[in-house]
Amino acid sequence: MNKVRSQSGGFTIVETMIVIAVTGMMFLSAMIFISGQQAKTEFTQAAHETEAKINDVLNDVSTGVYNNKGDFSCDYVGGAPGNGIIITPGAKAQGANGDCIFIGKVIQFAPNSAKDRLRIYSIAGQRQNISGQEVQSILDAKAKTLANGNGGLGRDEYEDFDLPYGLTVGNVTYSNGRPTGGMGVFTQFGSYSTPGTLKSGSTNTDLVAFNGLVNQLGPDFVDQVNTALQDPAALPTSYTKNPTDGITICFRSGGTDQHATMVVGGNNRQAAAPMLIDSGNCP
């Protein structure tokens, strides 16, 4: 016997269930699409926020801007130039740390193995060498971070930047794939014909890639960076200044099959290239 619809023109239970099922699948597909698009949008936004932060660090060094909580003192070791500086707790008035100069910043990628974080350290050095002449290089300045190493001296003058929207550090490389966990940007020093007589100044910066130091604890990283800055030939740490192919930083997406890559420096340039977004994992 053939089924006959009622005079009201309604649907049978089977037809109604089919309509509900089809509508549900369409709604689910739409939600998956919207969620995927939102994840891609968040990843793109996270990548560009991180790019802006790294560029801020580069620009800060170029313009001489440094974080200063005002809760440390910086003095010559032994009260005289030549042996380096010592950072101790205790505030000095603004501009009163005359023995020291700020010379750069170092970014640690994934400190304490926290791949969703960057840690930014300010670097200081002595203003004069043992001859009383203004320093002319990182080595001459006996540079060090304004942060605690394993010795526990000084103050933790660093800034943490948490990567947004689930972004994580993939890999950071230089010089044909050598891994690095730290990137430094330093002011280039002026040169002097005689003590106190400036022959030529500099408004440029040097880019430094530290060898290794991947996923290290903060104090260990600080100690090895300090050693490298004062003696780059010391093992196990050294650094490369202005690597010709720059420093390549790759970030992974937390919610999509994508990665973002930026190159800092290269061909003796300190400027960062725009962040590039591509599918798949970090190469």
Side-chain angles (χ1 to χ4, degrees):
M1 179 182 295
N2 294 329
K3 293 182 179 179
V4 180
R5 287 201 179 109
S6 66
Q7 294 296 322
S8 62
F11 294 96
T12 65
I13 293 177
V14 173
E15 289 172 328
T16 302
M17 292 179 66
I18 291 173
V19 170
I20 292 173
V22 171
T23 303
M25 286 188 292
M26 292 176 63
F27 177 78
L28 181 60
S29 297
M31 290 302 296
I32 292 174
F33 175 79
I34 293 172
S35 176
Q37 290 301 110
Q38 180 179 355
K40 289 182 178 180
T41 299
E42 289 178 348
F43 170 65
T44 300
Q45 182 177 343
H48 289 311
E49 286 183 17
T50 304
E51 174 190 20
K53 185 62 181 180
I54 293 174
N55 281 327
D56 283 346
V57 173
L58 303 178
N59 292 333
D60 284 348
V61 177
S62 297
T63 56
V65 176
Y66 297 93
N67 296 333
N68 187 346
K69 299 177 183 177
D71 58 357
F72 69 92
S73 295
C74 184
D75 303 283
Y76 290 136
V77 173
N83 295 319
I85 59 173
I86 183 170
I87 312 295
T88 55
K92 281 188 176 182
Q94 184 70 26
N97 285 297
D99 294 342
C100 302
I101 53 174
F102 289 101
I103 63 174
K105 292 188 176 184
V106 170
I107 300 176
Q108 182 183 8
F109 299 94
N112 306 331
S113 298
K115 293 185 177 296
D116 59 348
R117 180 172 299 161
L118 308 180
R119 180 164 291 176
I120 303 162
Y121 302 91
S122 291
I123 308 297
Q126 60 184 9
R127 183 172 58 85
Q128 294 181 328
N129 60 26
I130 197 168
S131 301
Q133 185 175 7
E134 282 73 12
V135 297
Q136 299 180 43
S137 69
I138 296 174
L139 279 177
D140 205 17
K142 297 185 182 296
K144 65 190 306 183
T145 62
L146 294 180
N148 286 335
N150 286 305
L153 298 176
R155 301 293 294 175
D156 276 337
E157 293 279 330
Y158 62 76
E159 174 193 0
D160 277 343
F161 176 73
D162 293 328
L163 302 178
Y165 297 116
L167 199 70
T168 58
V169 176
N171 49 57
V172 187
T173 59
Y174 71 105
S175 299
N176 297 318
R178 296 178 69 183
T180 178
M183 177 181 77
V185 188
F186 298 94
T187 300
Q188 288 183 353
F189 293 84
S191 58
Y192 293 81
S193 54
T194 58
T197 303
L198 182 66
K199 181 171 65 176
S200 64
S202 176
T203 58
N204 296 321
T205 56
D206 285 321
L207 179 70
V208 164
F210 292 93
N211 183 27
L213 308 186
V214 178
N215 299 328
Q216 291 212 336
L217 296 175
D220 293 340
F221 180 85
V222 167
D223 284 344
Q224 293 186 65
V225 165
N226 289 345
T227 299
L229 293 178
Q230 295 177 33
D231 181 9
L235 296 176
T237 302
S238 62
Y239 66 79
T240 298
K241 187 167 70 173
N242 298 322
T244 55
D245 55 352
I247 299 175
T248 301
I249 311 165
C250 185
F251 297 96
R252 297 191 185 103
S253 169
T256 66
D257 184 26
Q258 293 176 290
H259 68 273
T261 306
M262 69 182 300
V263 179
V264 181
N267 297 319
N268 293 320
R269 292 181 292 104
Q270 171 256 308
M275 187 80 79
L276 299 178
I277 295 176
D278 204 349
S279 59
N281 205 344
C282 290

